[in-house]
Amino acid sequence: MEDVTGAQLIAESLKAQKVQYMFGIVGVPVIEVAMAAQAAGIKYVGMRNEQAACYAASAIGYLTGRPGACLVVSGPGLIHALGGMANANMNCWPVVVIGGSSDRNQETAGAFQEFPQVEACRLYSKFSARPSSLEAIPSVIEKAVRTSMYGRPGACYVDIAGDMVNASVNRNRVRVVSCCPPAPVSLAAPDAITEAISVLKAAKRPLAIIGKGAAYGRAEVALRQFVETSGLPFLPTPMGKGVLPDDHPHCVAAARSRALHQADVILLFGARLNWMLHFGLPPRFDPNVKVIQVDLCPEEMGNNVRPAVALLGDLSSIVTQLLTCVHKDAWKYPSDTEWWITLREKMTANAKISKALALQTTLPLNYYTVFHHISQLLPHDCIVVSEGANTMDIGRTMLNNYLPRHRLDAGTFGTMGVGLGFAVAAAAKEQSEKKSKRVVCVEGDSAFGFSGMEVETMCRYMLPVVIIVVNNNGIYSGLDAGTWKEMAKMGNLTSIAPPVSLLPDARYDEMMTAFGGRGFLVRTVEELRSALQMSLNDWERPSLLNVLIDPSSDRKQQEFPWLTRSNL
């Protein structure tokens, strides 16, 4: 048997566990690992920042159900990736980070980029370990991949000492580890299913909430059958959008606040009662609301609100159990109830407000006008990536999703800077699988700044991502160019410029053209529609639309805003 290096063992072990993608930044001591990964048939994407690389690897985990690998160098490289690991853990997405580290014989001696990496990663991951020998690499990789997927998905870390990368061992000394199977599937207790249906039948104002756990759990077919059979109104969370189409007649997203506030029974499918759902508490919710909680994580049951019924297990399987019970009892919630009438009236009223804002023709443009015209041109099967403050929040209501796992945004952790990494991952997956879905990344100008250099990554790999920067010159709001110039005349801008302000009318479009992509400066509706259509028709290179809007443009007044203060 021939000898095999540590780098080869890492790559072959990842491949054996059906890890298909690796994102990272190479350097000492992991260059050979990336080369071995490519030789093993793993698709390697070199990024410009380790955070973005980890965001991309975790997005692959969400999109495919199998973790992506993130490869980073020691010390600062690994530290930069911690943000992506934390985001993956909070979003419950599987990812495996492979980090190079100091040589074993230099530990505690002040080695190059020496850092307690295994210990540091324990705060940000489900599993963190360093193989004790070359022979142990396949077993540790298998455990990292398995742990990242089983139970509540999340991040795992494998530390590789620098001297192990090029060291070699005879193959017959290395134990072959087979691929870990998909996570085991469990069902809810039958009596709990019966109780849940009983609570639903007694409800006057029921509501189903579909979270990204339903999207990750591939529950779309069963959920559609259940919603249409039971007649329940449903509300998607931001990344639950598309599990059922946003234009489905039972979707009440346009009356979100009213639905949450007045529902007396909520059936919670793979969503958590955290800040994004206002903790399930008054005044956002009825103080007497009954919650039927469906989740695969037992520790999630009862967080903030004690459930009337807890259904623990695989989400798709539990929905099938509920559907069987509904069929057996021939039960359906009527479509002509006062509850449905109330929801439809609120949806109609909110739609009128948004449409009035969208049809404004004054310049500069506002958010609603921009999103109105974007929504008219986007293909129904496109993958929408979105981040920002107003940009993301308004986009949640105006950019529809029609397919599951076709929306990626800042998520549970509210992380800014994820957008371009997510877009690279989605586009790399589409390119690799030879599919033809467009990836459209809608960003605020502040959010774009976190990972803007990843436009070079897109150009380098010829990933035809369409980036739309909704540019209001600031964080939440900015200043117009005239006001900025007047302030500059007054003295030192570090003393007087508002902390939320960014450089007015910054030419983000020229960043894209600098690397060979297409850049468009957009000020009018006509320019927006023309540039977006040209970008969607170009499959050879990425594009960036720099859409200048009114710096004081804001969202319409919400009954209950997304962000819930903790002192309620």
Side-chain angles (χ1 to χ4, degrees):
M1 297 288 284
E2 82 275 15
D3 287 349
V4 59
T5 66
Q8 289 174 300
L9 280 173
I10 295 165
E12 292 172 7
S13 299
L14 289 169
K15 184 68 174 179
Q17 299 305 319
K18 297 184 180 178
V19 173
Q20 301 180 59
Y21 298 89
M22 177 181 283
F23 302 83
I25 298 179
V26 297
V28 176
V30 297
I31 296 174
E32 292 84 357
V33 176
M35 297 173 68
Q38 283 187 320
I42 295 172
K43 298 160 187 67
Y44 177 81
V45 179
M47 306 288 284
R48 299 303 300 265
N49 180 280
E50 290 90 355
Q51 279 191 16
C54 200
Y55 296 146
S58 65
I60 281 290
Y62 173 66
L63 294 170
T64 68
R66 206 82 186 176
C70 176
L71 181 67
V72 298
V73 299
S74 52
L78 183 276
I79 292 170
H80 291 166
L82 293 179
M85 294 173 69
N87 188 69
N89 260 6
M90 294 298 292
N91 273 327
C92 307
W93 291 357
V95 65
V96 174
V97 177
I98 310 289
S101 62
S102 308
D103 291 0
R104 289 170 291 180
N105 64 358
Q106 296 177 356
E107 285 184 3
T108 75
F112 174 67
Q113 294 184 335
E114 184 176 4
F115 187 73
Q117 297 179 184
V118 175
E119 294 89 335
C121 287
R122 288 198 176 109
L123 285 172
Y124 302 89
S125 62
K126 296 179 66 181
F127 171 76
S128 180
R130 171 192 277 194
S132 58
S133 63
L134 293 179
E135 295 90 332
I137 287 175
S139 296
V140 173
I141 294 288
E142 187 275 342
K143 184 168 185 179
V145 171
R146 174 164 43 86
T147 304
S148 77
M149 296 187 298
Y150 281 28
R152 174 180 282 177
C156 291
Y157 175 67
V158 178
D159 193 76
I160 303 295
D163 58 301
M164 293 177 67
V165 172
N166 290 312
S168 59
V169 64
N170 194 275
R171 278 194 185 275
N172 63 14
R173 292 179 54 188
V174 180
R175 182 169 67 92
V176 176
V177 180
S178 61
C179 181
C180 67
V185 172
S186 59
L187 299 175
D191 58 341
I193 293 290
T194 302
E195 185 180 0
I197 294 297
S198 177
V199 172
L200 270 180
K201 286 181 178 179
K204 294 182 178 179
R205 299 181 303 279
L207 176 69
I209 297 179
I210 299 175
K212 72 171 175 285
Y216 182 80
R218 274 64 181 169
E220 54 267 19
V221 174
L223 266 173
R224 184 162 195 156
Q225 292 175 340
F226 174 77
V227 165
E228 293 176 352
T229 301
S230 66
L232 294 177
F234 76 88
L235 175 72
T237 65
M239 272 189 279
K241 283 164 59 69
V243 174
L244 271 68
D246 282 340
D247 62 353
H248 192 283
H250 288 234
C251 180
V252 295
R256 176 184 184 273
S257 294
R258 181 69 55 86
L260 294 179
H261 187 227
Q262 295 186 6
D264 62 352
V265 172
I266 288 177
L267 185 49
L268 198 64
F269 290 114
R272 290 170 281 178
L273 292 175
N274 54 22
W275 69 274
M276 296 190 79
L277 286 174
H278 315 294
F279 312 110
L281 299 174
R284 274 55 171 168
F285 286 75
D286 186 311
N288 298 312
V289 67
K290 294 181 179 179
V291 176
I292 302 169
Q293 194 168 1
V294 184
D295 206 284
L296 57 73
C297 179
E299 291 83 359
E300 190 59 40
M301 299 299 184
N303 271 348
N304 298 317
V305 174
R306 182 176 180 176
V309 186
L311 302 178
L312 178 66
D314 174 71
L315 200 138
S316 183
S317 300
I318 290 175
V319 175
T320 301
Q321 287 181 281
L322 291 168
L323 181 61
T324 299
C325 203
V326 168
H327 277 307
K328 180 182 177 182
D329 295 351
W331 174 78
K332 185 167 187 174
Y333 183 73
S335 60
D336 58 352
T337 61
E338 184 179 345
W339 177 229
W340 261 120
I341 293 170
T342 298
L343 292 173
R344 290 181 181 125
E345 287 177 349
K346 185 62 175 176
M347 291 167 65
T348 301
N350 285 343
K352 287 181 179 179
I353 295 171
S354 295
K355 186 174 182 179
L357 290 167
L359 295 179
Q360 289 181 5
T361 57
T362 55
L363 296 178
L365 301 173
N366 66 53
Y367 284 107
Y368 292 87
T369 302
V370 169
F371 281 114
H372 171 72
H373 290 280
I374 292 173
S375 66
Q376 288 188 335
L377 294 175
L378 290 187
H380 276 206
D381 65 349
C382 76
I383 298 169
V384 177
V385 182
S386 184
E387 63 171 330
N390 294 342
T391 300
M392 182 174 63
D393 288 348
I394 298 171
R396 284 169 172 166
T397 63
M398 296 194 68
L399 297 181
N400 283 347
N401 290 93
Y402 304 93
L403 296 169
R405 298 170 297 281
H406 279 57
R407 180 182 172 86
L408 300 163
D409 69 18
T412 306
F413 213 25
T415 309
M416 291 297 102
V418 296
L420 298 191
F422 286 177
V424 166
K429 176 179 177 293
E430 288 297 308
Q431 185 185 72
S432 174
E433 296 176 358
K434 295 181 171 58
K435 295 182 179 179
S436 57
K437 294 178 182 176
R438 296 313 311 246
V439 178
V440 179
C441 187
V442 186
E443 304 255 311
D445 50 332
S446 171
F448 176 79
F450 283 85
S451 302
M453 276 299 293
E454 299 304 335
V455 298
E456 187 274 334
T457 305
M458 296 173 184
C459 290
R460 184 169 13 114
Y461 290 103
M462 299 177 67
L463 301 174
V465 176
V466 178
I467 302 172
I468 303 172
V469 178
V470 185
N471 185 355
N472 71 342
N473 301 341
I475 304 167
Y476 302 112
S477 62
L479 301 172
D480 61 76
T483 302
W484 185 264
K485 289 178 181 177
E486 290 301 315
M487 289 177 58
K489 294 176 182 177
M490 294 168 60
N492 192 335
L493 284 169
T494 58
S495 301
I496 58 176
V500 296
S501 59
L502 297 173
L503 185 68
D505 302 344
R507 296 299 302 272
Y508 301 112
D509 51 301
E510 293 186 350
M511 285 183 62
M512 181 63 87
T513 59
F515 296 113
R518 301 184 74 175
F520 300 89
L521 182 65
V522 172
R523 298 180 187 272
T524 67
V525 166
E526 293 74 21
E527 290 172 346
L528 172 61
R529 295 184 69 93
S530 173
L532 182 52
Q533 195 61 66
M534 282 191 286
S535 299
L536 291 171
N537 290 335
D538 189 345
W539 290 87
E540 302 298 323
R541 52 186 168 171
S543 302
L544 189 150
L545 283 64
N546 184 15
V547 184
L548 304 184
I549 68 168
D550 185 348
S552 61
S553 179
D554 201 357
R555 72 190 83 182
K556 67 180 178 67
Q557 185 65 39
Q558 293 175 291
E559 185 176 353
F560 291 123
W562 278 94
L563 185 61
T564 307
R565 296 300 176 191
S566 59
N567 60 355
L568 287 175

